[in-house]
Amino acid sequence: MTSAGVRATARIAATADGRGGTALPVLDGEGPLALRRTRATGSEARVMLVGAMSGPLGGDHFTVEASAHEGARLHVGSAAATIALPGQAKGPARYDVRLTVADDAELHWLPEQLISACDSELQVRTRAELAAGGRLVLREEQVLGRAGEAPGRLTSRLTVRRAGRPLLDQELACGPGAPGGWDGPAVLGGHRAVGQLVVVRPEFVHEMPQAALLGEFAALTPLAGPAVLVTAVAPDARHLRRVLDEAVRALG
């Protein structure tokens, strides 16, 4: 038996406003998932996810759903890092992210880091569904443990589909109880920050970026579709962000 924790869902829907901008007809957050619209940039609507409570704690289940409809430009960030903490409820915490991008729409999912605190257990599932003409910039950053502490158990799965076909489906498990080798040279190599950046652009059909090393601990890999994946490990969150920001700039 598992004890029930907090259940909360945040929903964002972006649509073209008919005047060259983006409207937000749905902007609805529950409990610990508060949403705030911030100053727009050009045709892009910007939304900030604000944590109104600590967590997720053990037993919690948070869900964020964001949709960019045809002609919309949506940028979603977060006000601070998300910290997975142990809680009184039994069982792992869950954090689901569901992104949908229509034709001629663009979604940037750029939250702050997820920190896996000691003795926590969190399962993260991110799913992105794109139409053939959709654009996506998705960044995930995970930090194993706060300063001077051991990490919790973190399992993260990322699935990206375009026009009904898979572009990427991968899972990473780290921390106590994870399959052996997660901290070895084939995975994290002793680093405590890991991140990935997925960029999907229809233009890549005609001009795909080439595979490349981005410094000593990061790599750009073309995917089987108009998309690329950048993966990186680093000693801390600051170094990881710098590598991924440079990759975003390089990809335009």
Side-chain angles (χ1 to χ4, degrees), residues 12 22 54 97 150 171 182 236:
I12 308 165
T22 298
S54 297
V97 176
E171 182 173 290
W182 66 269
D236 55 43

Side-chain angles (χ1 to χ4, degrees), residues 13-25 37 39-46 68-75 104-106:
T15 61
D17 65 5
R19 303 185 302 274
T22 298
L24 297 173
R37 180 166 189 168
R39 185 182 297 275
T41 301
S43 62
E44 181 183 72
R46 289 182 168 245
H69 295 273
E70 187 172 352
R73 305 289 183 266
L74 176 62
H75 181 289
D104 190 31
E106 185 168 337

Side-chain angles (χ1 to χ4, degrees), residues 65-144:
E65 301 174 353
S67 299
H69 295 273
E70 187 172 352
R73 305 289 183 266
L74 176 62
H75 181 289
V76 183
S78 60
T82 297
I83 304 178
L85 297 166
Q88 294 182 347
K90 296 181 180 179
R94 290 178 55 189
Y95 201 127
D96 293 333
V97 176
R98 301 167 187 162
L99 309 176
T100 306
V101 188
D103 279 319
D104 190 31
E106 185 168 337
L107 174 56
H108 290 208
W109 175 258
L110 300 170
E112 294 300 309
Q113 297 88 359
L114 170 64
I115 301 173
S116 175
C118 184
D119 295 327
S120 68
E121 184 176 357
L122 178 63
Q123 298 172 355
V124 180
R125 179 69 191 265
T126 302
R127 303 178 188 179
E129 290 279 352
L130 289 84
R135 293 176 172 81
L136 175 70
V137 178
L138 182 154
R139 182 186 68 211
E140 289 190 338
E141 299 171 306
Q142 291 142 4
V143 180
L144 304 182

Side-chain angles (χ1 to χ4, degrees), residues 2-236:
T2 59
S3 301
V6 175
R7 302 292 189 269
T9 300
R11 296 180 177 88
I12 308 165
T15 61
D17 65 5
R19 303 185 302 274
T22 298
L24 297 173
V26 178
L27 192 63
D28 182 25
E30 297 177 343
L33 299 176
L35 298 172
R36 300 289 183 267
R37 180 166 189 168
T38 60
R39 185 182 297 275
T41 301
S43 62
E44 181 183 72
R46 289 182 168 245
V47 175
M48 193 69 69
L49 183 62
V50 180
M53 296 168 54
S54 297
L57 309 178
D60 290 351
H61 186 179
F62 294 173
T63 303
V64 179
E65 301 174 353
S67 299
H69 295 273
E70 187 172 352
R73 305 289 183 266
L74 176 62
H75 181 289
V76 183
S78 60
T82 297
I83 304 178
L85 297 166
Q88 294 182 347
K90 296 181 180 179
R94 290 178 55 189
Y95 201 127
D96 293 333
V97 176
R98 301 167 187 162
L99 309 176
T100 306
V101 188
D103 279 319
D104 190 31
E106 185 168 337
L107 174 56
H108 290 208
W109 175 258
L110 300 170
E112 294 300 309
Q113 297 88 359
L114 170 64
I115 301 173
S116 175
C118 184
D119 295 327
S120 68
E121 184 176 357
L122 178 63
Q123 298 172 355
V124 180
R125 179 69 191 265
T126 302
R127 303 178 188 179
E129 290 279 352
L130 289 84
R135 293 176 172 81
L136 175 70
V137 178
L138 182 154
R139 182 186 68 211
E140 289 190 338
E141 299 171 306
Q142 291 142 4
V143 180
L144 304 182
R146 293 169 292 191
E149 75 173 6
R153 171 73 183 270
L154 176 63
T155 303
S156 176
R157 183 168 183 176
L158 172 61
T159 303
V160 181
R161 294 171 58 87
R162 174 183 177 268
R165 302 183 63 180
L167 287 179
L168 177 68
D169 192 355
Q170 67 178 27
E171 182 173 290
L172 176 66
C174 303
W182 66 269
D183 201 24
V187 187
L188 297 188
H191 293 89
R192 282 296 178 266
V194 58
Q196 50 199 351
L197 173 74
V198 180
V199 179
V200 183
R201 297 180 62 191
E203 295 84 355
F204 288 164
V205 171
H206 307 291
E207 188 175 355
M208 176 69 76
Q210 297 297 307
L213 292 176
L214 305 176
E216 189 175 0
F217 300 112
L220 183 152
T221 305
L223 300 177
V228 297
L229 170 67
V230 176
T231 54
V233 295
D236 55 43

